[in-house]
Amino acid sequence: MSRSRFTIRVEGLRELQQAMRRLRDSELDRRVKDVNKDVAKLVAAEAKSLRAVPTKSGKLRRSIGALASRSDASVKAGSAARVPYAGPLHWGWRRRNIRPRPFLRWAAGRKYDEAHETYTEGMAEVMRDRLES
């Protein structure tokens, strides 16, 4: 199985993260994490709505969730214990004739513009609030 990652690059993000670490402002960290979570939730909701997600038992669809930190936003599906077939269904498994259905990548692609706008506006608001205080 090949591993790839749908990534959105943000210019100046590394410098912003370094500045935030120097500030040691936990409130600012929480607000940036919230912006990242909002973006991840957009993609997760879209992934849950796609027909490409098998719904035999509904476990895979229910396992799709948004994760976020101060520096990252991601969407996950499945778990090794409860939904171990998520990876093979998403990436495919040639030896078992399972064709890939990359529903997380499709969802990210479909929500790209909205995610970009949400991130840009959210970060601008965080920075405006920080500068005003």
Side-chain angles (χ1 to χ4, degrees):
M1 268 186 294
S2 68
R3 288 279 215 193
S4 71
R5 195 171 170 157
F6 185 89
T7 304
I8 298 173
R9 300 256 182 242
V10 179
E11 289 184 34
L13 182 60
R14 180 170 290 154
E15 292 81 6
L16 174 63
Q17 290 170 341
Q18 289 171 348
M20 286 173 47
R21 278 193 296 273
R22 284 192 297 269
L23 288 173
R24 295 182 183 183
D25 185 344
S26 60
E27 175 65 18
L28 181 63
D29 289 347
R30 186 191 60 74
R31 299 238 358 244
V32 170
K33 180 180 176 181
D34 290 345
V35 170
N36 285 336
K37 184 80 165 192
D38 291 343
V39 172
K41 283 180 180 179
L42 280 173
V43 176
E46 181 67 18
K48 286 181 179 184
S49 74
L50 292 176
R51 285 185 180 178
V53 180
T55 56
K56 197 172 208 176
S57 69
K59 282 185 182 180
L60 178 57
R61 182 165 285 168
R62 286 191 304 272
S63 76
I64 296 172
L67 303 170
S69 69
R70 179 185 66 195
S71 61
D72 190 59
S74 59
V75 180
K76 60 113 184 147
S79 69
R82 293 193 177 112
V83 190
Y85 49 87
L89 288 176
H90 188 272
W91 301 109
W93 193 349
R94 186 174 291 176
R95 281 187 277 160
R96 304 259 174 144
N97 285 330
I98 299 173
R99 300 185 77 194
R101 291 187 255 181
F103 51 89
L104 295 178
R105 286 193 337 191
W106 291 337
R110 290 175 70 165
K111 288 296 183 178
Y112 178 85
D113 290 334
E114 191 175 345
H116 181 271
E117 185 177 322
T118 299
Y119 186 79
T120 303
E121 289 175 3
M123 290 302 290
E125 183 180 330
V126 168
M127 297 287 73
R128 264 192 312 275
D129 291 350
R130 174 69 179 141
L131 292 173
E132 289 174 359
S133 62

